[in-house]
Amino acid sequence: MNLQYKKVKLYEEDDYKDYNIYYFDSIKNIYKLLKKPGITLSSVCSESERENFYYFVPERLNFIETENIKLNSELKTEIKKENILKVKNIIIKIVNNHFSEPRSGTLKGIENMINIIIDEYFGQYAILTNFARMSYKDYTTTIHSINVMSLTLGLSFFLKFPKNKVYNYGISGLLHDIGKTEISDTILKAERKLNQQEFEIIKKHPQIGVDILKDYSFPTEVIKGCIEHHERLDGSGYPNGIKEEMISEIGKILAIIDPFEAITSVDRPYKRKMPVEKALEIIFIEEGNKIDKNLFTKFVKNLGIVEKIF
Ligand SMILES: [Fe+2]
Ligand SMILES: [Fe+2]
């Protein structure tokens, strides 16, 4: 494939109105223009045909950049209006855009978004923790990542971490599963138990994530959260099976928040959503010796306060 073109998932029709879209003509071995700017996708093809389309990447990157500026200013406005549903929907759009081209340098753009969230919600751990509890039917890596980021920011505020640490941990929470953007949906969204071979593929996502992140100048904590969030204190985790003293604080925090978010979020294939208390009990019983008890207690305390405001 010509590197200038990239196959991308097309999300919302409107987002692509102003851009050229191409398709690959396999007989002539060239890319052909499918639509010009100003023409909607549905007027030239059906939804099921869209998977064969390509973007000219520089256009896509310009689009993400322009869109990001617009969305970040909307984000500020909606936070001020306390319109939490709108806030979350804007964040989903921003993150979806950035997760669609993580190897093209776009991830840097999410820093503005995190700065806005931290500035506007500084110290308000309850809001951010509750924010993570808003459920969405289509449970994607994006939704999971945003929820993990929110819970991590909430806990960091609760623990009164300094601002730069809150910031690094927030980015780490958001990007911990970035490697999953390169794992196929047929495995990620399988509505059955994964076989051993598929699970081995899933287990590669922390390393794929680090490979993506190494092209950026993110702080070490961001990388650590990505590579260590499936490690466990007793060395039973993956990918490196490292033990307690080797695992960073953000690695230990994400080892608690990541499974907590996954089991308390909307029903996922093969698994049912669980109430907060039950989820904490399960994590404690099943993972008690594998997670940092001190951090776990603090996380429960943080949630306990949040529960009271429901
Ligand atoms: Fe993960
Ligand atoms: Fe995760």
Side-chain angles (χ1 to χ4, degrees):
M1 194 169 94
N2 184 330
L3 279 178
Q4 286 179 306
Y5 295 86
K6 181 157 179 168
K7 201 168 185 175
V8 289
K9 281 182 203 160
L10 301 178
Y11 297 101
E12 287 181 40
E13 169 117 355
D14 264 3
D15 292 350
Y16 303 92
K17 216 166 46 200
D18 300 332
Y19 297 88
N20 286 333
I21 306 261
Y22 302 83
Y23 68 96
F24 188 64
D25 180 338
S26 53
I27 298 165
K28 293 191 174 159
N29 209 25
I30 52 165
Y31 290 88
K32 283 186 173 172
L33 185 66
L34 177 82
K35 76 161 211 66
K36 284 183 175 175
I39 297 169
T40 57
L41 275 174
S42 52
S43 63
V44 288
C45 65
S46 71
E47 209 165 313
S48 60
E49 291 170 305
R50 290 183 191 178
E51 59 181 80
N52 298 315
F53 297 154
Y54 294 80
Y55 254 108
F56 186 52
V57 171
E59 281 188 350
R60 173 79 183 141
L61 296 184
N62 287 341
F63 162 72
I64 292 173
E65 216 169 285
T66 322
E67 184 76 355
N68 196 31
I69 295 168
K70 197 180 91 197
L71 287 170
N72 274 328
S73 91
E74 278 176 34
L75 178 64
K76 250 188 197 170
T77 316
E78 296 304 332
I79 291 177
K80 291 229 158 60
K81 285 193 205 159
E82 296 183 17
N83 191 342
I84 198 123
L85 186 66
K86 262 228 164 119
V87 168
K88 188 140 182 179
N89 286 333
I90 294 169
I91 292 176
I92 290 170
K93 274 195 173 187
I94 297 174
V95 175
N96 259 339
N97 279 339
H98 290 96
F99 278 21
S100 66
E101 302 283 349
R103 287 204 196 251
S104 310
T106 55
L107 286 179
K108 265 289 183 206
I110 50 121
E111 293 185 321
N112 288 341
M113 179 194 85
I114 298 210
N115 272 325
I116 293 172
I117 298 173
I118 292 176
D119 284 346
E120 299 293 326
Y121 289 126
F122 195 72
Q124 302 185 58
Y125 47 86
I127 290 187
L128 283 163
T129 307
N130 280 328
F131 188 71
R133 309 260 319 270
M134 289 167 68
S135 59
Y136 279 79
K137 270 214 176 80
D138 186 21
Y139 189 77
T140 56
T141 300
T142 298
I143 306 278
H144 166 68
S145 306
I146 293 169
N147 291 345
V148 169
M149 171 195 76
S150 308
L151 289 166
T152 308
L153 288 174
L155 179 64
S156 302
F157 285 143
F158 181 72
L159 296 176
K160 296 192 166 51
F161 286 158
K163 207 166 181 176
N164 72 322
K165 189 161 158 177
V166 174
Y167 170 82
N168 293 345
Y169 282 17
I171 296 188
S172 195
L174 184 65
L175 301 182
H176 75 283
D177 270 341
I178 192 69
K180 282 193 177 168
T181 56
E182 297 194 356
I183 290 179
S184 103
D185 267 4
T186 43
I187 295 183
L188 287 181
K189 292 191 165 185
E191 293 190 19
R192 56 179 169 76
K193 231 178 182 133
L194 296 179
N195 62 38
Q196 193 54 36
Q197 198 189 357
E198 289 166 329
F199 189 56
E200 290 305 320
I201 295 175
I202 289 267
K203 278 165 78 176
K204 289 185 179 153
H205 78 272
Q207 188 55 54
I208 299 173
V210 171
D211 291 343
I212 294 173
L213 296 178
K214 72 176 187 316
D215 291 334
Y216 295 84
S217 52
F218 285 125
T220 322
E221 283 152 323
V222 177
I223 313 285
K224 292 253 182 203
C226 179
I227 194 73
E228 294 174 359
H229 71 277
H230 288 288
E231 298 290 0
R232 296 296 180 259
L233 302 193
D234 61 355
S236 63
Y238 65 86
N240 297 316
I242 53 170
K243 288 191 176 177
E244 183 166 4
E245 53 294 343
M246 296 283 288
I247 307 173
S248 65
E249 184 179 53
I250 184 62
K252 288 171 182 162
I253 288 178
L254 292 178
I256 296 166
I257 290 180
D258 181 42
F260 171 82
E261 196 290 323
I263 54 183
T264 55
S265 207
V266 73
D267 292 352
R268 293 171 306 151
Y270 225 74
K271 287 197 175 111
R272 303 290 298 169
K273 172 181 174 174
M274 229 173 252
V276 170
E277 314 71 47
K278 189 80 192 146
L280 291 171
E281 197 185 307
I282 287 183
I283 293 174
F284 193 73
I285 293 170
E286 292 180 5
E287 302 263 291
N289 296 325
K290 302 179 179 183
I291 52 169
D292 187 303
K293 284 205 179 65
N294 186 24
L295 284 169
F296 181 77
T297 311
K298 287 171 176 162
F299 181 57
V300 174
K301 275 188 186 165
N302 163 31
L303 290 174
I305 290 162
V306 170
E307 286 300 301
K308 282 181 199 152
I309 70 162
F310 266 95

